[in-house]
Each structure stands twice: as structure tokens, then as C-alpha cells.
Amino acid sequence: MAVTHGPAGVGQARHRMRDQLRTGGVSEAVIDDAVLILSELLSNACKHGRPLGDALAGDGDVRCAWRVDTGGRLTVEVTDGGGPTRPSPATPSVTAHGGRGLNIITALADDWGVRDDTRGEVTVWVVVHEDVHDPDAARRREDFATRVTAPTVSAGPRLGYADAYEDLD
């Protein structure tokens, strides 16, 4: 599916994916994970990647695809025109407004990676679940919060409440 390189395309793709996976008999919990993953991938493609072809940033399309193969494995892919950086999980500060998308994908997915082609296009692929027909596929993962790693806080000197007012006499 070709979608607009921008926020409008994300919503269109999410709705279409949800409808198609429901029609295919995929459980709601797996669909929820897949839709969140698709949203993150498309948002990253629009923020960090160029549109496909020769269009200027903000114009043109990116491509997304999803499929359940004969073994029941659900895979989602998003292809853009490439960008200045490679997709990799970040370690955002606690107050950062973004930078957690690939960490969320890593926590939800069974596997993911990046594929380049000779035209400069970059595809990020995600195996959402190895077998959507598995009875456990519909179960929410209890350890989700532990798999989304929080940034480390540097070990600094421990100051007490009174220490903050030490120089005020």
C-alpha cells in the first residue's frame, strides 16, 4: 500500500490493516500490536526518511505491507527513500518527547531488521508474531514493561533536602 509521506497516511494504513487482519481471523490483541508497530514504523519513515522516488521531503509516498504467511507468521514492512541515519533503538531522556518507537517495537515483536536495496530505498521489517494461530498469540505479554528499557540514570552525588538550601543563610 502506498501512503502519503506524512501523518495522514499513517491513519489510512492503520485502518486498512485493522480491517484486513480482522477479516483474516487474526486475534484483536495481535492486531493491536501490529497496528501500533505499523504506526511507529510509518511515523519514523516520515520523520527520518525521504519519500520514495525523486519527491522532495513531505511530498510523495512511502510503502507499507503486511502479510500472514502460510505458517501463520505476521510480518509488517515499511519502505521509504532512505535517510541520513540508520534505524536503531535510542536511549531518550525521561523528559524526551520521542525516541521510544523502536524500543516499543523491540518489546512487542518477535524479530525486526533493516533491508537496503540498490536504489537507496530502506525497508524496516517486523515479525509481529511467529504464529497468529497459536492460542497464546492473543495473550498480552505480562512482561512488556520490563522489556521496554528505561534510560540509565548516571550515578551522581546523593544530595539531601537540606543540601539544596545549604548556601542560603
Side-chain angles (χ1 to χ4, degrees):
M1 171 180 186
V3 297
T4 306
H5 184 267
V10 177
Q12 292 171 333
R14 286 182 12 225
H15 291 295
R16 186 168 176 186
M17 172 189 258
R18 186 173 295 281
D19 290 344
Q20 287 182 351
L21 292 179
R22 274 186 184 146
T23 301
V26 176
S27 74
E28 285 298 319
V30 172
I31 292 172
D32 289 345
D33 289 352
V35 168
L36 176 59
I37 288 168
L38 178 66
S39 295
E40 291 294 338
L41 292 177
L42 283 171
S43 296
N44 285 349
C46 293
K47 183 175 183 178
H48 303 290
R50 291 182 297 274
L52 295 168
D54 296 327
L56 298 173
D59 297 328
D61 296 327
V62 294
R63 230 179 5 256
C64 60
W66 51 88
R67 67 185 167 285
V68 177
D69 66 19
T70 56
R73 184 167 96 158
L74 173 58
T75 304
V76 176
E77 295 182 349
V78 170
T79 303
D80 62 37
T85 59
R86 298 289 298 157
S88 65
T91 308
S93 71
V94 175
T95 58
H97 292 282
R100 294 172 184 82
L102 287 176
N103 289 319
I104 292 169
I105 289 170
T106 300
L108 289 175
D110 288 337
D111 196 11
W112 75 274
V114 181
R115 185 174 65 240
D116 298 296
D117 78 359
T118 56
R119 296 179 305 258
E121 294 179 357
V122 175
T123 300
V124 180
W125 57 267
V126 178
V127 176
V128 178
H129 201 283
E130 289 289 347
D131 185 1
V132 297
H133 305 298
D134 178 355
D136 290 334
R139 180 179 51 83
R140 281 284 177 198
R141 300 177 185 191
E142 292 83 17
D143 64 340
F144 175 76
T146 60
R147 290 182 288 116
V148 178
T149 57
T152 58
V153 178
S154 63
R158 298 257 180 210
L159 298 176
Y161 179 78
D163 296 331
Y165 299 99
E166 178 176 281
D167 60 342
L168 300 174
D169 287 330

